[in-house]
Amino acid sequence: MARLTSIPVLILLCISFGNVFGQKEQKSTYSKFKSRSKTENVKELLREADAIKNTRPSQALTKVEEALASAIAAGNSADEGKAYLLLGDINVGIAEWTLALQNYTRAYQILAPSYKGSTDFTTALQGLGLCYSKTGEYELSLKYYAYLSQRKLAGEDTLDVKLHVAEVYYEMRKYNEALDQINDIQATKQIISPGLSTRIQNQLAKIYARKSEFEKTQNSYSNSLEIARDIKSGAPKSDKAVQETKEEISEVLRDQKKYDDEIRLRNSSIEYNLGKSNLAEVSKDKVKIGESLEAKGDTDGALRSLLEASSIADTLNNPQAKANSYLPLAEFYYRSGKMKESASTYKKFSVAISEVNVMKQSKQDVRENLIKQQKGIESLANDVSIGRREETIDSGTIARQRIIIYGLILIVVIIAITSFFIYRNARASKIANQLLALKSLRSQMNPHFIFNALNSINQFIANQDERTANRFLSEFSRLMRLVLETSQEDFISLSKEIEILSLYLKLEQYRFRDKFDYIIDIDPSLNPDFIEVPPMLIQPYIENAVWHGLRYKESKGTLSLKITQVTNNLLVEIIDNGIGRDQSKQFKTAHQKRQNSTGLKNIEDRLTIINEVYHTAFDVNVSDGVGGGTHVTLTIPINHKSHAA
């Protein structure tokens, strides 16, 4: 009994020792930064970080980390607020709007009590207004811009605030209110800088386009190009703005089939971008002009423009520009009946898009490293804050309070919290690895489509079956685009998945003529646009039914795909009247058996990972059909889109 009684005491002593040790660590961290927290050193670190935040964000974060910890250790809230502002600016540079909002909010809270009159507090308000607009919380954005407009701002900052308000109203589709703000700016007698003038003309052009006042749209955009053409400093930012404006106006013109207006707009853009040596944008404009010419019926002009776009892209070390020019050209060749040119250009597109994916992954890795680095800064800031607070409290009082108030309850809380964080970190790491594995498994499915389909095209051409090759290439083009569009997604809409499956079945029917018919039966009570499913989950079972069941059947077979709702699940049934699993094994080579086993194993692994990561209950059951064939049943939990009503 005495031993049992001593156990809690021993645990308390161990935990208390651990707390003291942790407390010493925090105080040690605090003391280290307090010893070098001279104000001039902190300000110099912040100046250096501010100078490199856009070009070398990782190095800037290292300087901000030391400056922030030193400012907290010294109790300097002005520099602490400035450090959080720089973190927000770095987040804006990588378009991480949620993190930016958190850091600007922290800066606002730190600076508000004593530094409301400072320029840093103004910067915090500007950051909050921008981030809320980017996250779609427009009313909050307008609220902070209203605070800004009430302050005494220097130079043209007041006009800049009005322009931001106009941009928010534009995003809210309140075009008249947006126009009123710009009219107020133009009515001022204040001299407006070229950079702000370009933004004003861009915003006017977009507003007039949405109001279908296209002559005013063209005039405003021409004014924007004219002003931006002469800007020297900050030119990349102005160039990006005029390109984004052009694309938004073009979208409106194309929707209204005003192809001549769009061509004029893009020709003026080409002239501007040639002057700026921005050949990637010139290639993009040439592609869009070619598409508009084709829509008008000028196929010769369309081909010339598409070839010019491709030739320009070939001179660039820019895989994205190449991919953007190759795919429209390949599709144009197909529509013109030039199958060899189309297939050749598709291959070039495939190479370019692979390079694009590698570049995107590299950028994503950099982005994730920056976010991870910021998490470390948050942890350090917390340690320094705790150490500073602990130093101001009498250690004897802490010990008495710990023993009297917390006791064994504190032990349980600490154990629970520690266990929680250990579990959460372990689970986060596990989920990250599982998602990477899921992406790898999913990516193995896509090459199978492309290479099988290209082999079929070669077979049709070799057999001089041009008509079938033509039809097959048409459907293959659509299927490839859909597969590439969804290849990076964990979930896609059921309607998109059905579209992919329909195209795939049509291609297989071309390939195995007179071998089978197929039926797709969707429960009419379902709304496929608002239900999400994992991509490429159903297709392998359909492929298995065609390749190993129906194609060996002597008479014409039938494949049925039926999707219904049972409680909160989708019930997907794939039924064929092929030769059945046992007889199919006799026809398979050793290679086919391994390939089939690997494909189904990938699906099983995907289902296991999805169930673990998303806490779902995906299930699959394969059985022999009644009277022959195979019956596959997939149970998929219904996952509604987050924005669905």
Side-chain angles (χ1 to χ4, degrees), residues 327-580:
L327 183 58
L329 181 59
E331 292 175 339
F332 181 88
Y333 277 138
Y334 155 70
R335 289 190 294 271
S336 302
K338 299 179 179 180
M339 301 306 170
K340 290 184 179 179
E341 291 88 339
S342 179
S344 174
T345 311
Y346 268 126
K347 289 180 181 178
K348 292 173 66 178
F349 166 74
S350 180
V351 172
I353 204 67
S354 297
E355 294 178 5
V356 169
N357 288 334
V358 171
M359 292 174 60
K360 285 183 178 179
Q361 186 59 52
S362 177
K363 290 181 180 179
Q364 182 62 26
D365 291 343
V366 172
R367 181 191 184 100
E368 289 175 357
N369 287 334
L370 290 175
I371 294 173
K372 182 178 179 181
Q373 195 173 350
Q374 289 194 59
K375 296 295 184 183
I377 294 175
E378 292 175 12
S379 177
L380 177 64
N382 288 335
D383 286 346
V384 176
S385 296
I386 292 171
R388 184 169 179 271
R389 287 197 300 269
E390 292 289 348
E391 191 181 55
T392 62
I393 302 174
D394 178 74
S395 59
T397 303
I398 294 174
R400 287 193 299 272
Q401 288 177 343
R402 182 186 301 113
I403 295 172
I404 295 172
I405 298 175
Y406 299 110
L408 291 174
I409 297 176
L410 182 60
I411 298 173
V412 176
V413 172
I414 292 174
I415 292 174
I417 293 174
T418 303
S419 300
F420 169 75
F421 281 108
I422 292 173
Y423 169 79
R424 189 178 70 174
N425 291 338
R427 178 163 179 79
S429 177
K430 181 181 178 182
I431 288 175
N433 291 333
Q434 287 175 326
L435 289 174
L436 184 61
L438 184 62
K439 181 178 180 181
S440 175
L441 289 170
R442 192 169 61 242
S443 67
Q444 293 176 28
M445 314 294 280
N446 298 336
H448 183 75
F449 276 120
I450 296 173
F451 291 113
N452 274 356
L454 287 175
N455 286 336
S456 294
I457 295 171
N458 288 334
Q459 179 181 348
F460 290 139
I461 293 174
N463 294 334
Q464 296 184 345
D465 192 351
E466 184 177 349
R467 184 175 182 180
T468 303
N470 187 11
R471 291 168 58 197
F472 190 94
L473 186 56
S474 172
E475 303 302 336
F476 165 65
S477 173
R478 291 176 56 203
L479 178 61
M480 186 176 71
R481 174 167 285 190
L482 287 172
V483 170
L484 290 175
E485 286 175 351
T486 59
S487 62
Q488 298 300 315
E489 302 296 330
D490 290 337
F491 289 89
I492 63 174
S493 68
L494 178 59
S495 61
K496 185 72 73 175
E497 180 72 358
I498 292 170
E499 184 179 0
I500 291 173
L501 294 174
S502 299
L503 285 171
Y504 173 74
L505 280 167
K506 189 177 293 186
L507 291 178
E508 294 290 34
Q509 199 174 44
Y510 288 162
R511 186 178 298 173
F512 303 114
R513 296 180 179 178
D514 301 321
K515 277 297 183 180
F516 73 99
D517 290 322
Y518 65 90
I519 302 168
I520 298 178
D521 183 14
I522 311 297
D523 187 344
S525 65
L526 294 173
N527 189 342
D529 291 331
F530 293 98
I531 296 175
E532 292 189 326
V533 297
M536 302 294 289
L537 185 65
I538 303 171
Q539 182 274 335
Y541 293 102
I542 293 178
E543 180 179 354
N544 208 42
V546 174
W547 279 73
H548 305 296
L550 293 170
R551 75 164 175 166
Y552 295 117
K553 186 177 176 68
E554 294 181 359
S555 60
K556 192 171 187 179
T558 302
L559 187 147
S560 172
L561 171 62
K562 184 178 181 182
I563 301 177
T564 56
Q565 180 173 350
V566 179
T567 61
N568 293 323
N569 295 317
L570 285 179
L571 191 65
V572 180
E573 295 178 275
I574 304 161
I575 305 170
D576 70 80
N577 61 352
I579 62 175

Side-chain angles (χ1 to χ4, degrees), residues 197-198 201-202 204-205 214-230 242 245-246 249 264-269 271-272:
S197 294
T198 302
Q201 294 300 323
N202 285 335
L204 278 173
F214 297 117
E215 184 175 350
K216 291 182 178 179
T217 298
Q218 184 67 52
N219 289 338
S220 296
Y221 187 66
S222 296
N223 291 339
S224 172
L225 293 180
E226 191 64 31
I227 298 168
R229 187 176 284 112
D230 297 330
V242 296
T245 301
K246 171 196 63 184
I249 296 170
R264 280 194 294 272
L265 181 77
R266 290 194 180 275
N267 278 327
S268 63
S269 173
E271 181 183 354
Y272 170 81

Side-chain angles (χ1 to χ4, degrees), residues 301-331:
L303 179 58
R304 283 196 302 272
S305 189
L306 291 173
L307 286 172
E308 288 173 3
S310 178
S311 297
I312 293 170
D314 285 337
T315 66
L316 304 175
N317 184 23
N318 187 332
Q320 186 65 65
K322 293 179 180 179
N324 290 342
S325 66
Y326 294 154
L327 183 58
L329 181 59
E331 292 175 339

Side-chain angles (χ1 to χ4, degrees), residues 131-255:
C131 290
Y132 277 124
S133 70
K134 293 295 185 181
T135 56
E137 299 179 73
Y138 300 121
E139 296 298 337
L140 285 173
S141 177
L142 291 174
K143 169 186 170 182
Y144 283 101
Y145 281 132
Y147 290 163
L148 273 171
S149 65
Q150 296 169 8
R151 297 173 65 83
K152 293 181 179 179
L153 301 176
E156 62 181 24
D157 288 347
T158 302
L159 305 183
D160 182 73
V161 171
K162 282 186 174 292
L163 184 54
H164 276 295
V165 171
E167 291 166 350
V168 174
Y169 278 133
Y170 176 81
E171 293 298 330
M172 297 171 73
R173 300 185 180 181
K174 295 183 177 181
Y175 303 126
N176 290 331
E177 288 87 339
L179 194 56
D180 289 341
Q181 293 293 322
I182 295 180
N183 288 336
D184 288 346
I185 296 174
Q186 293 180 321
T188 184
K189 296 180 180 179
Q190 188 173 336
I191 298 175
I192 302 176
S193 68
L196 187 62
S197 294
T198 302
R199 287 175 56 202
I200 291 171
Q201 294 300 323
N202 285 335
Q203 193 61 50
L204 278 173
K206 292 192 291 185
I207 293 170
Y208 286 137
R210 294 296 178 184
K211 290 167 67 68
S212 297
E213 298 180 31
F214 297 117
E215 184 175 350
K216 291 182 178 179
T217 298
Q218 184 67 52
N219 289 338
S220 296
Y221 187 66
S222 296
N223 291 339
S224 172
L225 293 180
E226 191 64 31
I227 298 168
R229 187 176 284 112
D230 297 330
I231 296 178
K232 301 302 181 184
S233 61
K237 191 172 182 180
S238 297
D239 288 343
K240 182 179 179 182
V242 296
Q243 311 306 343
E244 290 173 350
T245 301
K246 171 196 63 184
E247 293 303 326
E248 192 158 347
I249 296 170
S250 295
E251 180 184 346
V252 176
L253 293 172
R254 184 164 295 203
D255 287 343

